[in-house]
Each structure stands twice: as C-alpha cells, then as structure tokens.
Amino acid sequence: MTYHSRLPLLALLAVTMLIALPAQADNFLQDLNGDGQVSFVSFGDSITLGDGDGIRPKQHVSRVPDGHSGTGYSARLEAWLGIPAMNGGRGGEYLTAGGLYRLPGLVLSSNADIVGFMEGTNDVFGHANLGNAERDYQRAINIILALGRQPLMLTLPQTCCNRSRGRPGLSYLSNIVRTLAAANQVPLADVERAWGSVCSGAGECDLLCIPEGLHPNTAGYDLIAQTAAAALLGIDVFAPDGAAKLEQALGWAPGTVLIRSNQTE
Amino acid sequence: MNSCSIANKHLLATILIATLGLQLAACGGGSGSSGGGQGARILHASLDSAPFNLTISDRPDQPVLFARFGLPTSYAATPKGEHILTATSTLGGSTFSFAVPAGHPTRQSILIYGSRGISGLKATLLADEPGGIPPNSSALRLINGAEDLKALSASAGGTNIAQNLPLGGASAYTFVVSGALEIVAQEYQNAPFYRDTHELLPGKSYTVLVAGESRLMVTTRVLEDG
C-alpha cells in the first residue's frame, strides 16, 4: 500500500488541524490524563500483537511462523494519527480465562488516554465457555473507564479457509461487543463489519494469511487500523462518504481506504 | 486521592495503586442537579454490570441520570411528595424500583452492588442524611459494594467509622473533626487496601464507597453527599 510512504508531516499536519478544530462531539482523541499528549495502548491477543503482519496477500501461509509478528494495528495508529501507541497484545490469550486479569495492570502501567480492546478469538477456537463473555467484556469497559481512560472496543476480524469453523463464534462475540459499546456509550471500531465489506463468506480472503485463515496479513492489519482510526476521529467509515472523509482527514489518496461503504456484514 | 486495588490471581499479594485524581465532589454522569435541594443518585458498584439509567415516576420516559461503575453521579432533583425511583440497566434485564413516601429523606442513594456472575446483582436505597453535624465537624460513612470483601472496616484520622461491614452494607454516619484526615480502609485485620488523606469540610457529609470485585479490581472513592 503506497500510503505508508506518505509524507508523515502532511499526515501529522492534517491530524493536528483536525484536533485543533472546535471540539467535535465524537472525536475521541482527548488528553484525559492531562499529560500534554494523547496516547493509545492496545489490549488483546496475537491479532493485537501483530502475528501475520508483513505477510502479503495471496502469499501461501499454512501456519504463521512462531515469532513472526509485525507491528500490528497500534503502530499504524501511531504513524497515521501522530500519537504514541503501545502494543499490549499477548499471543494465545483468552478473554474468559485470565486475559481480563492482565488488563488493570497494563492500563495502570501506561499513560495511555485510550485503550483499544480486541480479544476473544482464542476463546472461540479453544472452546471456552462463551457464556461469560458478555460479563467479561463489560468488566473490561468498566475497568478502563474507572481508571480514567477511554475504551475503544473493537469487534473481531473474521476467519476463513482452514479456520472457517470459528465464524459463528466470532460473530457471536462481535455482536456482544456492539451491544455493549452502545449500552455503555463508548466508541466502537466495527472491524467485523469492515472485514465483511471486503471479504464475504468462508472462502479465501485477501485480508488473511491463506490457507491458515486466522491471522490477518498486512492488508488485514491495514483494515483494522483504518477502522480504529475512523472510530477515534469520529468518522462513520461505513457511510457513503466515510472512506473519503477518512482519506481526507489523514491526507491519503482516494481509494486508499480498504473499507467499502453500504455493505452488510 | 482515590485508588484502585488490583487483585491479580497470578500475584501473591494485592497491589495497591493510587492513581486517580481527587474526587470529593460528586460530579458528572447526571443530567440533573439538586442544587442543594432534594435529590437521588446512583452508586454503581457492580463491576460486571452495564450502566444504569435513573428515572422518576413523575417523568418515567426521561432518564435523569446515567451511572457507570465506580464513577460518581450528581444528585437528580426529586419531587417532595411520594414517587418511585427506578434504576434500569442500559442492557435491559435488570431493573430496581423503590417506592419513596412523602416526607422522605432529603437526599438518597441507590446502591447497585454484587455481581451478575457471582453473588447476584442487588440494589438498596440509602438515606444520605447524617443528622445535625456538630460545629467544626464532618460526617463520614462507609459503603461496601465490593464483591467478596466480606467485612470492611474504615477509619478517618484514627476514628473508626465502620467495623466488619458486609457486602451491601452502609455504616451509620460518624462525626469527625473536620480537616485533612487520613482515611484507611481494610478487610478484616488484613493490611489496608486504601490509605489516603482528604480534606473534609465542616458541615459536610461524605461516603467512602468501595466497589468492584476483589479478585479483579476494587475502587475506593470518597464522595461528597450533596
């Protein structure tokens, strides 16, 4: 994707101007802790960590090599939005079995104003009891808010190919995340919906390592980060002009945003 | 300074971390303000529960408060006569209603506590009235909204304000000499999980609210009652 070579100064200027404009009700890039900067930390599993990042679309990957992690979506947010972003992903982590216990310490050890939360994929493939998932997602939101930070909830990217059996479980969890984001009035980056605008069904998907079908590739991480960036900027990326607004906000060429509007998941 | 205690099952001891800013005045979360008159607020202490809206029977379709876990709300103005206070989860499914008679306390709190997944979600209506506060004194009480903290005690400036308070319990107000006092909270005879100094003003009443789940995260906040 050529936009990675965009002059960073232009992007930074664009974002600075956006932040300097009269406050938009939905712009979540706020310095909540008063340290003079807006910063971000991501919490999640290997998909947050960035496993599979660096693998190109259509490159044959039956299993993502151990230790093959790129920078993931948080580093892209840092580059595009000009805000420090820490990667708090941990490979193999379950939401319903231990992941939540790591969250308070991670948040407190960072000075992040915004916490991106995306976890649950391992719970689906590990046959965890998803009956506790709603309460655990709610706990996560409450923990982040009580610690004075802004949660950004992300739904889960879909799978395909060798991992297509996880699709119903992932959708189940993503629906919970959507419902809770609305009930809690916190921002939502609907990654699953964005995913579905590019890849439909359980067949091959250019956003995933193929035929492994679980971890995003470089394009997949681009899409996750684009969805998150739009949410943080208060842009409805699924609106007919949403992609254009995001491109304009970040100084990108038309057509850079992967998400297609007016698509149902 | 308010604080969060982190209980991590992978650690041998509870970590006390004080990071939050001073929050003596009840603030935020509400669309109404009693401005010194009568009012009701929500104290949301359930870590696994969604926010609650508060409605009053004289205008049941207009939520007057939006209460999140662990974060204080302002008081919403309530009628002088009898009315019904209803706290409804924004997720649906959990609703608590309280019939309030004429002549009710000036200020009241709905405490929402427990856990949907552990002991069950519960609520109780509390009167936030300490009675006549002596000169140069403040009134202070403890509320235990923390799942699995079975017997909470607290002191202010060395004066005990509560002993062995169970989950859902609210101590009576204790009068203390106003000023900068160290407030300490602990369970049983264990090491305190909260210790910080607060400026208590003469004639004012305060609540020390302990909320959350001891195995995950507990928050302790000192709230001004009105």
Side-chain angles (χ1 to χ4, degrees):
Chain A
M1 300 296 293
T2 57
Y3 59 78
H4 285 300
S5 65
R6 288 284 165 201
L7 293 174
L9 181 59
L10 276 178
L12 180 60
L13 278 175
V15 173
T16 303
M17 289 173 61
L18 196 68
I19 295 173
L21 288 172
Q24 300 176 47
D26 295 326
N27 187 321
F28 295 99
L29 296 174
Q30 308 288 334
D31 177 15
L32 296 178
N33 58 17
D35 65 353
Q37 66 180 12
V38 177
S39 53
F40 181 94
V41 63
S42 59
F43 179 91
D45 49 35
S46 60
I47 296 176
T48 294
L49 189 61
D51 281 5
D53 197 2
I55 291 174
R56 301 182 307 277
K58 303 203 185 300
Q59 183 178 346
H60 188 274
V61 177
S62 57
R63 180 174 172 274
V64 176
D66 287 341
H68 186 104
S69 294
T71 56
Y73 82 89
S74 56
R76 287 161 169 81
L77 291 181
E78 179 166 323
W80 300 345
L81 300 179
I83 61 174
M86 186 174 100
N87 189 328
R90 176 175 290 182
E93 189 169 73
Y94 284 57
L95 167 69
T96 61
L100 209 52
Y101 289 92
R102 185 170 67 93
L103 178 63
L106 174 79
V107 174
L108 282 168
S109 67
S110 81
N111 61 351
D113 304 285
I114 307 163
V115 180
F117 192 97
M118 180 172 66
E119 192 157 89
T121 298
N122 289 306
D123 300 74
V124 170
F125 287 98
H127 306 293
N129 179 7
L130 300 184
N132 297 326
E134 188 233 282
R135 290 192 297 273
D136 282 342
Y137 281 123
Q138 182 61 67
R139 285 186 175 101
I141 292 171
N142 284 342
I143 287 168
I144 295 168
L145 286 170
L147 293 177
R149 321 300 172 97
Q150 174 67 65
L152 170 68
M153 299 303 289
L154 292 87
T155 56
L156 305 175
Q158 267 295 356
T159 55
C160 80
C161 314
N162 292 353
R163 298 299 183 97
S164 58
R165 63 180 171 85
R167 294 175 62 84
L170 294 171
S171 281
Y172 172 77
L173 292 184
S174 288
N175 281 333
I176 291 174
V177 172
R178 288 187 193 96
T179 300
L180 289 179
N184 284 270
Q185 299 180 16
V186 297
L188 172 73
D190 200 341
V191 171
E192 188 196 37
R193 183 179 177 188
W195 212 264
S197 77
V198 177
C199 299
S200 59
E204 252 192 41
C205 172
D206 282 346
L207 303 174
L208 287 164
C209 298
I210 301 297
E212 188 243 19
L214 175 66
H215 288 97
N217 57 24
T218 295
Y221 283 106
D222 288 341
L223 181 134
I224 294 172
Q226 289 174 2
T227 310
L232 290 174
L233 292 172
I235 294 172
D236 178 3
V237 74
F238 303 105
D241 61 348
K245 283 186 175 177
L246 183 59
E247 287 158 356
Q248 185 177 34
L250 298 181
W252 291 346
T256 301
V257 170
L258 300 171
I259 304 153
R260 295 167 194 160
S261 65
N262 291 326
Q263 299 286 331
T264 55
E265 64 270 25
Chain B
M1 181 80 69
N2 293 300
S3 78
C4 295
S5 300
I6 311 301
N8 188 315
K9 69 175 185 180
H10 300 296
L11 302 178
L12 295 176
T14 299
I15 299 171
L16 176 65
I17 302 172
T19 60
L20 301 178
L22 193 62
Q23 286 191 352
L24 277 185
C27 61
S31 58
S33 171
S34 62
Q38 296 166 321
R41 67 179 175 184
I42 292 178
L43 301 177
H44 186 331
S46 175
L47 186 61
D48 70 353
S49 297
F52 275 78
N53 282 318
L54 178 68
T55 55
I56 305 172
S57 48
D58 61 346
R59 42 194 194 284
D61 297 327
Q62 299 175 24
V64 294
L65 285 178
F66 177 83
R68 299 184 189 277
F69 163 78
L71 298 174
T73 72
S74 55
Y75 283 88
T78 53
K80 290 184 179 179
E82 60 184 31
H83 56 275
I84 298 174
L85 298 173
T86 301
T88 304
S89 170
T90 57
L91 265 186
S94 296
T95 298
F96 301 102
S97 291
F98 299 92
V100 181
H104 55 78
T106 303
R107 293 180 185 271
Q108 301 172 96
S109 294
I110 296 176
L111 171 67
I112 297 171
Y113 65 98
S115 165
R116 291 185 291 154
I118 305 174
S119 68
L121 191 62
K122 299 167 279 289
T124 186
L125 183 65
L126 303 171
D128 301 344
E129 290 187 338
I133 302 176
N136 301 315
S137 299
S138 309
L140 196 62
R141 69 173 174 186
L142 175 69
I143 292 180
N144 182 2
E147 186 76 60
D148 275 354
L149 289 184
K150 294 180 171 54
L152 288 192
S153 300
S155 64
T159 301
N160 287 333
I161 62 171
Q163 289 281 336
N164 299 324
L165 196 64
L167 173 64
S171 70
Y173 283 95
T174 298
F175 300 133
V176 295
V177 177
S178 301
L181 299 179
E182 182 180 65
I183 296 174
V184 179
Q186 65 190 113
E187 187 193 18
Y188 294 118
Q189 300 299 319
N190 297 336
F193 60 83
Y194 180 82
R195 184 193 295 273
D196 212 336
T197 299
H198 293 265
E199 184 70 34
L200 303 185
L201 301 177
K204 297 287 189 180
S205 58
Y206 302 89
T207 290
V208 180
L209 174 64
V210 180
E213 296 175 18
S214 65
R215 288 172 286 185
L216 187 55
M217 189 179 81
V218 168
T219 67
T220 305
R221 293 182 189 268
V222 179
L223 310 174
E224 185 175 323
D225 299 337

